Amino acid sequence: MASKFYVTTPIYYVNDAPHIGSAYTTLAADIIARYYRIKYGKENVFFLVGTDEHGQKIARSAKEQGFTPIQLANKVSEQFKNAWELLNISYDFFIRTSDPRHEKVVSELLQKIYNNGYIYEGLYKGLYCVGCERFLAENDLVNDRCPLHPNKAPEYQEEKNYFIKLKELVKNEVLPRIEKGKYNILPQKRKNEILARIKEGVEDVSISREGVTWGIPIPWEKKQTAYVWVDALINYYSATKFLEDKEKFWPANLHLVGKDILWFHAVIWQALLIAAGEEIPENIYAHGFFTIDGQKMSKSLGNTIPPKELVDKYGVDGARYLIITACTFGEDGDVSLKEFDVRFNADLANGLGNLVSRVAKLCENSKFEFHYDNTYQYSKNEKIESFRFDEALKTIWDEVVEVDKYINQTEPWNLKGDKLREVLEKSIKSIKHIAYGLLPFLPGTAEKMEKQFSEPKIKSEAPLFPRI
Ligand code: MSP
């Protein structure tokens, strides 16, 4: 296979302004995209983000706020773009499901599935959670409520729908592919959860809605619209179809998602693609939740932290660092602003920032001129490739500690001439190596460091991370 990498984030609902929970997936995807751009070259990476704009949830939210759905979508999709810009997210394209080009691809894909005989008409009766935009089975309920939206009772809905033969597709196509490793569900414990749920039994699911007008019409029956999840999942595929020169990126190499939406990605999305006769993505990785005092951060619970709040206080790279290190990737983690201060001061102001200031000062005092020949070549980072971001950062921070120690031991303030030059040149080399490692994580800081330590006369500069 050609060396290319296509990574996606979930497309966010436009009823909710961006918060650091939504920023979490996007930032992780950004780190991965930046890493693979170094590995494969810029033109061989495609990083897609976007917004999920159709369906009942958005239509209702818009109404409550006195907007039409598209007005709300226009407004909130801008907020997402702004938030990603603030966090220096290097996405290649921002897809919106209200884009007519996307709508056309959705319609074509559904028609293919229909033509292939995987769709039939049926009657749906049951409970629906508008917050999740999904039907709930008996065993999904906790105290008669959706566990993710306990503040609102699920609604009984009964309507004529088109169904996809999910049960048959899972048994004959999806499950064998999971078992043969044709695509990966990561981490392993999530794969086990999906397998267990498949073993419990899979029912066919509806792919259309009768009462929802804010959506993409079903091509063979225009009175119905595509179920918003089906419409949304297809974004990953449609972007590669309607954008110029992006076709080579399908199938996706990686869908990064939160654990709440893994089933849709690991099972339903695969079934849709297989039913349409399309290739399926290679990896699906589900991470955990940011919680505040044990509760998921979300608008409906009113406990969100907007990314801007962090960027204003800690700077872009400070915010990026704190978000990505908030918990072990893959696990849940509880967040508190107080703990952010502690980590910022310890790791960034004292650790990295201090080292950079220290070496710069020593170089400046020496009045030496430096000449450089070491620009770093790509080397494979196993930790990033396997989503162990905290370990990847730990390796870099170990190097920070090592250089600090080296300086303490060699005491360059007591040295002169060649001896001093040797210590400084070694330290500069290490700083450049640290900067190189930081590129995917803290791109602005990495570039600043690289620049500062590439001048013939190195000068002290303002601290990278002023103490809080
Ligand atoms: N629109 C759907 C996704 C469609 S993808 C084809 C959706 N949107 S969402 O806005 O509700 O959530 C998007 C992602 O953000 C999910 O992966 C979810 O897990 C993640 N997060 C939302 N809140 C989060 C936290 N508090 N913590 C970590 N991730 C969180 O679902």
Side-chain angles (χ1 to χ4, degrees), residues 10-13 19 21-22 24-25 52 229 232-233 235-236 257-261 265 287-290 296-297:
I11 51 174
Y12 299 96
Y13 287 128
H19 53 74
S22 35
Y24 188 55
T25 327
D52 187 355
W229 261 104
L233 286 164
N235 91 86
Y236 304 130
V257 300
K259 62 179 184 178
D260 53 333
I261 59 174
H265 285 82
H287 64 71
F289 283 161
F290 263 8
K296 186 185 170 202
M297 192 181 297

Side-chain angles (χ1 to χ4, degrees), residues 4-6 43-46 240 246-252:
K4 62 92 182 164
F5 204 83
Y6 175 24
E43 64 289 352
N44 294 318
V45 170
F46 184 39
T240 67
K246 296 293 185 225
E247 202 133 7
K248 71 165 180 182
F249 286 105
W250 190 258

Side-chain angles (χ1 to χ4, degrees), residues 52 64 85-86 96 177 268 333 357-358 366 388 445 454 467:
D52 187 355
E64 280 163 20
E85 200 174 314
L86 268 180
R96 298 182 53 189
R177 279 175 175 76
I268 298 182
S357 304
R358 194 178 187 199
S366 76
R388 289 176 289 146
T445 302
S454 295
R467 269 187 78 87

Side-chain angles (χ1 to χ4, degrees), residues 291-405:
T291 55
I292 290 194
D293 301 324
Q295 278 203 308
K296 186 185 170 202
M297 192 181 297
S298 73
K299 188 182 182 179
S300 37
L301 298 172
N303 59 353
T304 59
I305 302 174
K308 185 166 185 313
E309 204 175 304
L310 289 195
V311 174
D312 286 347
K313 187 163 180 196
Y314 303 107
V316 189
D317 282 351
R320 288 173 65 104
Y321 182 81
L322 295 173
I323 294 171
I324 204 65
T325 55
C327 49
T328 301
F329 203 64
E331 307 294 328
D332 290 344
D334 213 44
V335 163
S336 83
L337 286 175
K338 211 159 143 211
E339 197 263 335
F340 278 169
D341 283 355
V342 174
R343 218 143 29 81
F344 179 90
N345 283 338
D347 299 355
L348 296 176
N350 295 348
L352 179 64
N354 204 35
L355 176 71
V356 167
S357 304
R358 194 178 187 199
V359 175
K361 191 91 207 139
L362 287 165
C363 292
E364 188 177 66
N365 291 346
S366 76
K367 310 235 168 25
F368 286 157
E369 274 207 13
F370 298 96
H371 304 281
Y372 312 92
D373 50 17
N374 53 307
T375 43
Y376 283 94
Q377 293 295 314
Y378 161 79
S379 67
K380 181 169 173 165
N381 190 323
E382 204 61 71
K383 294 179 175 122
I384 296 184
E385 293 196 12
S386 54
F387 311 98
R388 289 176 289 146
F389 300 126
D390 47 344
E391 287 177 40
L393 285 166
K394 170 90 176 35
T395 310
I396 299 174
W397 257 260
D398 284 348
E399 197 176 348
V400 169
V401 172
E402 232 170 77
V403 184
D404 239 345
K405 231 195 245 159

